[in-house]
Protein backbone atom coordinates (compact mmCIF):
# COMPACT_ATOMS: atom_id res chain seq x y z
CA UNK A 1 0.00 0.00 0.00
CA UNK A 2 2.79 2.43 0.93
CA UNK A 3 4.54 1.77 -2.37
CA UNK A 4 1.37 2.71 -4.28
CA UNK A 5 1.00 5.93 -2.30
CA UNK A 6 4.56 6.95 -3.08
CA UNK A 7 3.84 6.50 -6.80
CA UNK A 8 0.86 8.85 -6.50
CA UNK A 9 2.98 11.38 -4.59
CA UNK A 10 5.71 11.27 -7.24
CA UNK A 11 3.37 12.09 -10.12
CA UNK A 12 2.53 15.65 -8.98
CA UNK A 13 6.20 16.33 -8.24
CA UNK A 14 7.18 15.22 -11.75
CA UNK A 15 4.39 17.34 -13.24
CA UNK A 16 5.59 20.40 -11.32
CA UNK A 17 9.16 19.80 -12.47
CA UNK A 18 8.01 19.65 -16.10
CA UNK A 19 6.00 22.88 -15.72
CA UNK A 20 8.94 24.64 -14.06
CA UNK A 21 11.30 23.66 -16.86
CA UNK A 22 8.74 24.68 -19.51
CA UNK A 23 8.51 28.15 -17.95
CA UNK A 24 12.14 29.14 -18.12
CA UNK A 25 13.01 32.77 -17.67
CA UNK A 26 15.30 34.28 -20.28
CA UNK A 27 17.72 37.16 -20.62
CA UNK A 28 16.74 39.95 -23.01
CA UNK A 29 18.91 38.56 -25.80
CA UNK A 30 17.72 34.96 -25.56
CA UNK A 31 14.46 35.56 -27.46
CA UNK A 32 15.65 38.29 -29.85
CA UNK A 33 15.85 35.90 -32.80
CA UNK A 34 12.26 34.73 -32.34
CA UNK A 35 10.99 38.27 -31.74
CA UNK A 36 12.83 39.60 -34.81
CA UNK A 37 11.42 36.85 -36.99
CA UNK A 38 7.88 37.68 -35.84
CA UNK A 39 8.44 41.42 -36.38
CA UNK A 40 9.82 40.88 -39.88
CA UNK A 41 6.68 38.92 -40.77
CA UNK A 42 4.82 42.11 -39.84
CA UNK A 43 7.22 44.37 -41.81
CA UNK A 44 10.26 42.99 -43.60
CA UNK A 45 12.39 46.04 -42.70
CA UNK A 46 11.54 45.98 -38.98
CA UNK A 47 14.46 46.87 -36.69
CA UNK A 48 14.66 46.44 -32.91
CA UNK A 49 14.47 49.79 -31.08
CA UNK A 50 13.57 48.97 -27.47
CA UNK A 51 13.53 45.99 -25.07
CA UNK A 52 11.89 45.97 -21.64
CA UNK A 53 10.29 44.03 -18.83
CA UNK A 54 8.60 45.06 -15.60
CA UNK A 55 9.00 41.59 -14.11
CA UNK A 56 12.76 41.17 -14.13
CA UNK A 57 14.58 39.02 -11.61
CA UNK A 58 17.82 39.38 -9.68
CA UNK A 59 19.65 37.32 -12.31
CA UNK A 60 18.62 39.70 -15.12
CA UNK A 61 16.14 37.22 -16.56
CA UNK A 62 12.39 37.53 -16.94
CA UNK A 63 9.57 35.23 -18.00
CA UNK A 64 8.28 37.87 -20.40
CA UNK A 65 9.88 40.62 -22.48
CA UNK A 66 8.52 43.33 -24.75
CA UNK A 67 10.51 43.98 -27.93
CA UNK A 68 9.63 47.13 -29.87
CA UNK A 69 10.39 47.17 -33.58
CA UNK A 70 10.23 50.06 -36.02
CA UNK A 71 9.61 49.87 -39.75
CA UNK A 72 11.30 52.83 -41.50
CA UNK A 73 9.33 52.11 -44.69
CA UNK A 74 5.91 52.01 -42.98
CA UNK A 75 6.90 54.59 -40.32
CA UNK A 76 5.13 52.42 -37.74
CA UNK A 77 6.08 50.28 -34.78
CA UNK A 78 5.05 46.91 -33.39
CA UNK A 79 5.53 45.35 -29.98
CA UNK A 80 6.45 41.68 -29.91
CA UNK A 81 5.80 39.97 -26.59
CA UNK A 82 7.69 36.85 -25.60
CA UNK A 83 7.07 34.53 -22.71
CA UNK A 84 9.45 31.75 -21.82
CA UNK A 85 11.50 32.50 -24.96
CA UNK A 86 8.54 32.10 -27.34
CA UNK A 87 6.55 34.79 -29.14
CA UNK A 88 3.06 35.12 -27.65
CA UNK A 89 1.77 38.30 -29.31
CA UNK A 90 2.53 40.87 -31.99
CA UNK A 91 0.75 44.19 -31.48
CA UNK A 92 1.16 46.05 -34.75
CA UNK A 93 0.98 49.74 -35.57
CA UNK A 94 1.52 51.04 -32.05
CA UNK A 95 2.47 54.61 -31.33
CA UNK A 96 6.16 54.81 -30.62
CA UNK A 97 8.92 57.37 -30.61
CA UNK A 98 11.76 54.84 -30.63
CA UNK A 99 13.07 54.77 -34.18
CA UNK A 100 16.82 54.27 -33.70
CA UNK A 101 17.96 50.65 -34.03
CA UNK A 102 19.59 49.16 -30.93
CA UNK A 103 22.25 47.36 -32.93
CA UNK A 104 23.91 44.12 -31.93
CA UNK A 105 26.60 45.55 -29.64
CA UNK A 106 24.80 45.53 -26.30
CA UNK A 107 25.49 43.79 -23.05
CA UNK A 108 22.75 41.34 -22.07
CA UNK A 109 20.25 41.98 -19.28
CA UNK A 110 21.99 39.64 -16.83
CA UNK A 111 25.17 41.73 -17.10
CA UNK A 112 23.16 44.95 -16.74
CA UNK A 113 21.45 43.84 -13.51
CA UNK A 114 24.74 42.52 -12.15
CA UNK A 115 26.40 45.89 -12.86
CA UNK A 116 23.47 47.79 -11.30
CA UNK A 117 23.73 45.71 -8.11
CA UNK A 118 27.52 46.25 -7.99
CA UNK A 119 26.86 49.98 -8.22
CA UNK A 120 24.64 49.84 -5.13
CA UNK A 121 21.14 49.03 -6.40
CA UNK A 122 19.35 47.00 -3.74
CA UNK A 123 16.86 44.50 -5.05
CA UNK A 124 13.58 43.92 -3.24
CA UNK A 125 12.40 40.80 -1.45
CA UNK A 126 13.17 37.72 -3.48
CA UNK A 127 14.91 39.81 -6.13
CA UNK A 128 11.76 40.12 -8.23
CA UNK A 129 9.96 43.11 -9.71
CA UNK A 130 13.01 44.64 -11.34
CA UNK A 131 12.21 46.91 -14.30
CA UNK A 132 14.82 46.49 -17.02
CA UNK A 133 15.01 48.42 -20.30
CA UNK A 134 17.45 48.79 -23.20
CA UNK A 135 17.02 51.84 -25.41
CA UNK A 136 18.79 54.50 -27.46
CA UNK A 137 18.95 58.00 -25.97
CA UNK A 138 20.73 61.35 -26.26
CA UNK A 139 19.49 61.97 -29.81
CA UNK A 140 18.49 65.54 -28.92
CA UNK A 141 22.08 66.47 -28.08
CA UNK A 142 23.49 64.67 -31.11
CA UNK A 143 25.20 61.94 -29.09
CA UNK A 144 23.16 58.82 -29.81
CA UNK A 145 23.96 56.29 -27.08
CA UNK A 146 22.70 52.89 -26.01
CA UNK A 147 21.53 52.68 -22.37
CA UNK A 148 20.39 50.05 -19.90
CA UNK A 149 18.06 51.24 -17.15
CA UNK A 150 17.55 48.98 -14.13
CA UNK A 151 14.94 50.11 -11.58
CA UNK A 152 13.42 48.87 -8.36
CA UNK A 153 10.30 50.30 -6.75
CA UNK A 154 8.93 49.85 -3.23
CA UNK A 155 6.44 51.68 -1.01
CA UNK A 156 8.95 54.46 -0.27
CA UNK A 157 10.08 55.26 -3.80
CA UNK A 158 12.03 54.19 -6.82
CA UNK A 159 15.75 53.76 -7.45
CA UNK A 160 17.14 53.54 -10.98
CA UNK A 161 20.62 52.87 -12.24
CA UNK A 162 21.59 54.02 -15.72
CA UNK A 163 24.29 52.01 -17.46
CA UNK A 164 26.11 52.14 -20.76
CA UNK A 165 24.21 49.78 -23.05
CA UNK A 166 27.27 48.19 -24.63
CA UNK A 167 29.56 47.71 -21.64
CA UNK A 168 27.09 47.91 -18.71
CA UNK A 169 29.43 50.51 -17.16
CA UNK A 170 27.81 52.66 -14.46
CA UNK A 171 26.66 56.14 -15.56
CA UNK A 172 24.43 57.39 -12.75
CA UNK A 173 21.95 56.52 -10.03
CA UNK A 174 18.61 58.29 -9.58
CA UNK A 175 16.39 58.04 -6.51
CA UNK A 176 12.83 59.30 -6.18
CA UNK A 177 11.09 59.26 -2.79
CA UNK A 178 7.29 59.00 -2.78
CA UNK A 179 6.81 60.41 0.72
Amino acid sequence: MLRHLSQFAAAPVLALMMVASAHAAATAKEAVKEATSAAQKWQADAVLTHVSTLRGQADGKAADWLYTFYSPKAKKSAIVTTKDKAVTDVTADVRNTSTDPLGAESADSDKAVEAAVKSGLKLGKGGKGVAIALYVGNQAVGKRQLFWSVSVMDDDGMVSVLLDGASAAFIRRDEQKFK
Side-chain angles (χ1 to χ4, degrees):
M1 173 86 169
L2 188 57
R3 187 171 63 112
H4 293 294
L5 286 175
S6 66
Q7 288 174 338
F8 286 115
V13 171
L14 287 173
L16 285 173
M17 287 171 56
M18 288 176 19
V19 168
S21 66
H23 296 288
T27 65
K29 284 190 170 185
E30 286 183 277
V32 166
K33 183 178 177 182
E34 293 81 359
T36 301
S37 178
Q40 290 176 342
K41 287 177 186 169
W42 162 71
Q43 293 288 336
D45 67 331
V47 293
L48 183 61
T49 60
H50 190 264
V51 179
S52 64
T53 185
L54 295 176
R55 297 174 1 138
Q57 301 171 132
D59 60 2
K61 295 181 177 184
D64 49 14
W65 289 94
L66 300 176
Y67 298 86
T68 303
F69 290 85
Y70 179 72
S71 165
K73 183 179 174 187
K75 296 191 182 342
K76 294 182 179 182
S77 294
I79 297 173
V80 177
T81 304
T82 65
K83 183 168 182 66
D84 305 324
K85 304 178 193 175
V87 172
T88 60
D89 185 51
V90 178
T91 306
D93 303 334
V94 296
R95 181 182 166 110
N96 177 33
T97 58
S98 297
T99 59
D100 290 317
L102 295 180
E105 300 302 318
S106 67
D108 204 349
S109 56
D110 56 343
K111 301 298 180 212
V113 172
E114 181 182 322
V117 169
K118 282 183 181 175
S119 71
L121 184 68
K122 291 183 180 21
L123 304 180
K125 280 185 178 178
K128 298 197 184 233
V130 181
I132 309 167
L134 178 65
Y135 61 94
V136 176
N138 284 345
Q139 297 94 328
V141 295
K143 295 182 181 179
R144 182 186 178 282
Q145 185 177 352
L146 192 59
F147 294 103
W148 274 110
S149 173
V150 181
S151 305
V152 177
M153 189 180 310
D154 62 21
D155 292 340
D156 298 326
M158 183 172 84
V159 178
S160 295
V161 172
L162 189 66
L163 306 160
D164 178 89
S167 66
F170 177 79
I171 295 175
R172 77 170 178 263
R173 173 189 164 104
D174 296 309
E175 191 169 339
Q176 178 65 46
K177 294 287 186 188
F178 294 149
K179 298 176 183 180

